[in-house]
Structures are given as C-alpha cells and as structure tokens.
Amino acid sequence: MHKHMRVYLALAVILLELVAAVFFLPVGVSGATSHVLVTVESVNVYGYLMKGVLIIRDATTGAETSVNSDGKATVLLQTGIYHFTFFGKDTYGNYKYLLQARDVRISDSTNSVTLDARKMNCGRISVGHSSFDVAVAYIFGAFGANNSSAPFATNSWITVSEGTYDVRVAGIRVIGEKGFWRYTYERPAVKVIGGSETDLGMVGGPLRMDLSGLSDRLETGAILSLKGLLLSDDSGFVLQAIVDEHEDSVFPSVEVVDSQGTRIYSSTAAEHQIRFTRSGTYTLSVSVNTGPLQGVLSATKSIVVQDPIFHTITAVADEGSQILPSGSVSVKHGETKEFIIDASPGYVLKDVLVDGISIGVVRTYKFTNVTRDHTIQVVSEPVLDYVIKVVSSGGGSVYPGTTRVAHGGGVTFLITPFDGFRIKDVLVDGVSIGPVETYTFLPVFSDHTLEVIFEPSQTNIVLHIGDKTFYVDGYPLSLDSPPIIKNGRTLLPIRAIVEALGGQVGWDANQKKVTVTLGSNRVELWIGKNTALVNGRQVMIDATNPKVVPEIINGRTMLPLRFVAESLGCSVEWDGNTQTVRVTYQKP
C-alpha cells in the first residue's frame, strides 16, 4: 500500500478509537426510586458476543451515556424506560453493526437486556466498492429525530436494525502517485428491510468541474460566494478538496471577466466573495492549476447581472376602511407583497377591487410574482345598528333582553333575581364584571353579548325519619344511616348534611369529639356530653332535656340535628304528621 495511504488509514483508526473512548456513568430516570444492575449482551449474526460501544438513552429525560463493551456490559440503571443502541465491531476490529432496542422498560426484576442481531430483523447497507480505498460511514437516525450517529470503518457493508436511516460516507481515493481525494457522499432516507441488502451504488466515475449549482442571473450589488472545489462524478457525490502528497490543500483558480474581456476578479484563495457592482454579462472560469489534476479540470459559466426592477402597487382605502401598507408601495420585480384589510369602527367591508375588478370581501390579499404595476382599493359602508344579545341562566330577569342599538347609541340593562335567587356573575363579551344589577353599553359601535348567571340564594335540605335518602335543593343524596328520634329529638350522622351546605366535619377519636364548621360558625360536641361549645361559648345542647347528647349507635356518630343546624345559622322546621325535617341555610 502507498506510504501516504497507510498514514490516512492510521488516522481513520485513531478517529474510531476516540469515538469508542467513552466512560461509564449510571443513567437515571427522573423521579425513579430504585436502582438495578443490568447486564447488556450484544450478539452478532453468527451468535457470538461482539465488542463495541453501547449507548443508553433515558427515554424520559433524554440523558445519554456511552459504555465500552466486550460483549457484556453491566450498568447501574434507575427503573424506567430506555433506548439501547450498540455500535459493534467485527473480528477485524472494524465497526460493522448498529443494533437498536427502543422503549425497553427496566424494572426491579430486570437483570439483563440482549441486543441480538439474529432476532432483531436486521439488514445490511452496502457502503463501499473497489473504487474506494478507505471509507468511514456515519449512520444517522439511531434515535429518530435526535440524529445520533457513530462512524463505521468499512469498505463493504454494515449490519443495522430494520428501519430508515440517513447515511453519510467520508472517504479517501488514491489518484496515481501524487495525491488523493477526500470526499463525502450522502444518501437520505435509506430504508433497510430485515434480511436484505441495500446497495448505495457508490461507484465512482470520471471527475468533472461542476458549476451547475451556481445561479446564472444576479442583481447589481449581489455577491457570489464560492468555497472549495465544485467537482462531481457520475455517482453524484461532491469532492470537497484536493490534498497533494505533502498534505497541502490545493484550491482552484477563479477568474471573472466582463463582456469586454476586462478581468474584474482573479484569485486562488480557499474562499471567494465576488461582488458584481455593474450590470452586464460576465464569464466565470474555474480551473485546477496545481496538484495531481493540474490542467485537467476546468469549467466556465455565463452570468447575467441586471439592475433590479421595481413596480408600484397603489393601495387605497375609503373613510370607513383601512389597508396596510397604504399609498404607493414599491415592490421588486418577481417578489410577493401582502396587504392587510379591515373596517373602521362603525363600518363594514363592502368590496375589494384589484386592478379595478371586484374580488369580494377579503381581509388579506397577496400579489405574487409581481411583474407590473397594480392597484388595490377597499370599499366600505356604515353600519346602521348593532345587536346586543342577552343570555340568562334562569333564576331572574334581564330587561330589555336582546335588542338592537343604533350606531353610536346606548342601552342600559336592569338585572333582577327571582325570590330565592341572587346574581352570581355578569359577563360582557365573555369577560366577567361581577354580580352587578345594571350595565350600560355606550356608545355602541359593534355587536355585543351580555350574559347573566343566577344562582339560588339559599340551600334547602329535606329529611325523613327512618329514611337514609335526603334531598338538597331537590337532588337526592344518601346518609350513612337513617335519622332517628330519641329523647324527643332527631339524631343523625351529620357529615353528609354539613358538607352539602359547604361546611366541614372533624373527628377526634382520643377526645371522642366532633367539630363542625360552616362559614364563620364553629360547633364542638363530645359523645355522651349534654353541653357543647358554639364559637367558643359553652351552651346546653337542649336546655329543656339534659338527656339529649351525641351518641354512637351501630358504629355511627349521631348528633342532634336541630342544635347543630341552628348553631350553624340554619333554620329548622319539623312536620310531625309526615315525620319530615326541613333545614334552610341562607348563603352568605
């Protein structure tokens, strides 16, 4: 092998070793509470363990760790979901395998993960032919959109899990005795099917100077940028630089002359910034004048430079409309210009005319590929009146209801709740203004909505002795056990009643104490005790009957209903004929 070829092979190997030189770190899942030692095995298509680089990515946090593996790698992981990718070597030490396992769940019982090329529906990507001396392939897509990659030294094929990949190959091709090319070749969306081989078709052909990617038309003042060599062969990959036998970069000679043959630019620099300050026709010449291809590759291209052409779009709006931008608007030839259209307060759009032709009512209009002058005109008309829509939840009246108002006029609405209801909220055009009793729209220049929400001003509870079902504003609910009458008083489990009123009940098992709160009122009672604390003041539960006390009956805490309800600010009515209790609570 050529002595300089051996140097570049050694450099390629060093590059691969640097990629593999990763360090061990545990990977964690955010919020996980336990760690597991997991052994990850990597098996090739022949059933043997293979060395390589193992990449572990936390699927939740995106944290990524690389580990050198000799076929078995033991890692400390927190429980969670992970993606595993293995870049494996063949028996000659070249990277030839890319195996993936996504969304692997690691639990407390997980002790191993196997990446087995025989079971992962793998295929092969052919990346090199006899025309290449050394190639390093990069496979993108190991983690989908995250575009993780790793190099594979190869001149034949790579085994990968079934999927779609972007492939880039960087390589070296020897040219005679004097030097060699460095090149890259890219192929997007390479689809690999398990059990098959995908040939990238990277066979080199005759080299040529290629200027087809440069524009042949520019505007005065434009800058033409060139970097490196513009070379290609029949396979389509771009040769990016020439390196001679002493590893000195060789750059092309670039020259530009005008139509009179006057040279306006000449350079052999690595990068070129050529500014065209005058209109006219120019000839661009690019050639290789040193190195192994001296005098072999060259190309010319004709470039026409023109002064930019501008056109005028005249935009006009009447007194009831607006258009932006407006007036005489200058637009460069071939470009696009968009206009925004709207009506002024008290007006609506009637029509839009482009070059005198009606296009109807639109809010925007775009002129594309402008090659001549244009006009755009906006026509509006005044609004005679507007609608104010009234929406009510029921439970009160809103006067005068949905109505029409003349432009600039006004109207006042009166909001009145029915007996047993109150105003909960008022919304104007969807925005809360609170529980107001009147609202005035003045002046009116558009449609509006007025929404009124009423709610009951009190809560009514009905219970029946011996029946676990009770009713809150007509809706049935259930008690833990039915109300009973003992010592001439109604006892019941109070929690469901208090919570239906919006209060809370607490139980202290040590003191056998019940604490009931509702609004600013607080009642404390003890099992078997005929006195209680009401807002910190001690009172008799029933001044006429000392036997009335809280009791535990059949495992349920039963409290005297009337005492508790009245202490919380409720009124209580008893109907002896129907054995019915009615509790009424006025909301604050």
Side-chain angles (χ1 to χ4, degrees):
M1 180 180 290
H2 190 279
K3 62 178 181 179
H4 302 296
M5 188 66 243
R6 287 194 297 272
V7 171
Y8 272 82
L9 282 173
L11 290 176
V13 171
I14 291 172
L15 170 65
L16 296 172
E17 290 178 348
L18 287 174
V19 173
V22 294
F23 56 91
F24 169 79
L25 283 174
V27 179
V29 178
S30 177
T33 57
S34 60
H35 291 78
V36 185
L37 276 175
V38 180
T39 299
V40 183
E41 294 186 348
S42 306
V43 181
N44 64 20
V45 293
Y46 305 107
Y48 298 109
L49 294 175
M50 55 181 166
K51 297 180 180 180
V53 177
L54 174 65
I55 297 178
I56 305 172
R57 171 169 290 184
D58 184 329
T60 302
T61 66
E64 184 176 292
T65 293
S66 300
V67 181
N68 287 328
S69 172
D70 60 359
K72 288 186 178 182
T74 300
V75 294
L76 181 64
L77 303 178
Q78 291 185 353
T79 54
I81 306 296
Y82 294 87
H83 305 321
F84 292 85
T85 295
F86 183 77
F87 299 104
K89 299 179 179 180
D90 61 12
T91 55
Y92 301 102
N94 294 324
Y95 284 93
K96 285 293 186 66
Y97 286 85
L98 168 57
L99 305 181
Q100 298 173 280
R102 293 179 59 81
D103 299 321
V104 177
R105 180 176 293 278
I106 301 299
S107 65
D108 291 333
S109 61
T110 304
N111 54 32
S112 66
V113 174
T114 301
L115 306 177
D116 193 336
R118 299 169 300 172
K119 299 179 181 180
M120 299 184 72
N121 204 18
C122 292
R124 303 200 307 179
I125 300 177
S126 178
V127 297
H129 297 279
S130 59
S131 61
F132 302 107
D133 298 284
V134 177
V136 178
Y138 295 80
I139 309 298
F140 295 82
F143 295 113
N146 293 319
N147 284 334
S148 293
S149 65
F152 293 73
T154 181
N155 59 4
S156 56
W157 50 264
I158 295 170
T159 297
V160 298
S161 305
E162 185 175 64
T164 300
Y165 303 91
D166 293 336
V167 180
R168 178 168 64 85
V169 179
I172 300 170
R173 178 187 296 176
V174 173
I175 300 176
E177 294 292 329
K178 293 187 176 181
F180 46 83
W181 294 100
R182 295 172 184 264
Y183 64 83
T184 59
Y185 173 76
E186 296 186 359
R187 176 72 65 83
V190 176
K191 186 173 184 181
V192 179
I193 301 175
S196 67
E197 182 171 301
T198 302
D199 189 347
L200 296 183
M202 292 171 54
V203 179
L207 296 173
R208 61 181 179 271
M209 188 73 69
D210 187 357
L211 305 183
S212 61
L214 301 179
S215 174
D216 58 2
R217 288 190 175 274
L218 298 173
E219 289 185 354
T220 305
I223 296 177
L224 178 65
S225 298
L226 299 177
K227 182 177 181 180
L229 287 171
L230 303 172
L231 302 168
S232 66
D233 68 5
D234 290 338
S235 66
F237 56 81
V238 176
L239 305 175
Q240 295 184 329
I242 292 179
V243 181
D244 70 9
E245 56 188 331
H246 302 294
E247 300 190 33
D248 294 325
S249 296
V250 177
F251 300 105
S253 173
V254 178
E255 182 179 86
V256 179
V257 298
D258 61 18
S259 57
Q260 284 76 41
T262 302
R263 182 186 298 114
I264 69 166
Y265 183 87
S266 179
S267 175
T268 58
E271 297 186 24
H272 307 269
Q273 301 288 322
I274 308 169
R275 180 184 294 276
F276 294 87
T277 58
R278 299 194 311 269
S279 61
T281 300
Y282 297 83
T283 301
L284 170 69
S285 300
V286 182
S287 62
V288 178
N289 295 324
T290 57
L293 293 180
Q294 180 177 354
V296 176
L297 297 177
S298 64
T300 61
K301 187 180 186 71
S302 179
I303 299 176
V304 177
V305 179
Q306 295 178 325
D307 292 331
I309 301 173
F310 290 90
H311 305 282
T312 300
I313 300 178
T314 304
V316 178
D318 64 13
E319 63 178 357
S321 61
Q322 306 169 36
I323 185 168
L324 294 174
S326 62
S328 296
V329 180
S330 183
V331 182
K332 186 180 291 186
H333 183 84
E335 291 192 349
T336 295
K337 190 64 180 179
E338 185 175 20
F339 292 84
I340 309 299
I341 302 165
D342 200 2
S344 301
Y347 292 83
V348 294
L349 296 178
K350 183 179 181 181
D351 199 4
V352 176
L353 298 94
V354 174
D355 297 332
I357 300 174
S358 170
I359 62 169
V361 175
V362 297
R363 297 288 178 175
T364 63
Y365 186 80
K366 185 182 296 184
F367 291 92
T368 60
N369 189 27
V370 176
T371 59
R372 63 183 181 87
D373 294 345
H374 293 280
T375 63
I376 181 169
Q377 181 182 358
V378 184
V379 181
S380 65
E381 61 183 357
V383 177
L384 298 179
D385 58 13
Y386 304 94
V387 175
I388 299 181
K389 183 179 179 180
V390 173
V391 179
S392 173
S393 66
S397 65
V398 182
Y399 180 82
T402 297
T403 188
R404 305 186 74 90
V405 181
H407 177 74
V411 62
T412 297
F413 290 88
L414 303 179
I415 304 170
T416 306
F418 297 148
D419 289 342
F421 287 85
R422 63 181 181 181
I423 303 169
K424 181 180 181 181
D425 198 6
V426 176
L427 296 90
V428 176
D429 296 330
V431 178
S432 171
I433 61 169
V436 300
E437 295 181 349
T438 65
Y439 187 81
T440 300
F441 291 92
L442 181 72
V444 176
F445 295 119
S446 64
D447 294 339
H448 294 282
T449 60
L450 179 69
E451 182 179 359
V452 181
I453 301 173
F454 297 98
E455 65 176 357
S457 58
Q458 62 185 28
T459 300
N460 299 292
I461 297 178
V462 178
L463 309 100
H464 299 280
I465 301 301
D467 189 351
K468 292 200 300 183
T469 300
F470 70 102
Y471 299 86
V472 179
D473 292 331
Y475 293 97
L477 296 173
S478 181
L479 298 166
D480 288 340
S481 61
I484 64 173
I485 294 179
K486 187 172 182 180
N487 295 319
R489 293 291 182 262
T490 299
L491 302 182
L492 82 170
I494 201 70
R495 181 180 297 276
I497 303 298
V498 173
E499 290 179 350
L501 296 173
Q504 294 180 328
V505 177
W507 166 250
D508 185 337
N510 294 328
Q511 299 186 51
K512 292 188 177 182
K513 183 180 77 168
V514 180
T515 302
V516 183
T517 58
L518 177 62
S520 60
N521 293 312
R522 178 185 179 92
V523 181
E524 299 170 80
L525 308 97
W526 287 263
I527 300 299
K529 189 174 180 180
N530 61 9
T531 61
L533 292 178
V534 177
N535 296 326
R537 183 174 60 86
Q538 181 170 305
V539 297
M540 286 287 296
I541 292 177
D542 191 329
T544 63
N545 189 350
K547 295 182 179 181
V548 178
V549 296
E551 299 184 33
I552 296 178
I553 302 175
N554 296 327
R556 297 285 186 251
T557 301
M558 309 289 279
L559 302 184
L561 173 61
R562 180 180 292 276
F563 174 76
V564 174
E566 290 180 347
S567 297
L568 295 175
C570 302
S571 62
V572 181
E573 297 180 5
W574 164 253
D575 187 337
N577 295 327
T578 61
Q579 298 279 286
T580 300
V581 181
R582 288 183 172 82
V583 178
T584 302
Y585 176 65
Q586 297 291 333
K587 295 179 181 179

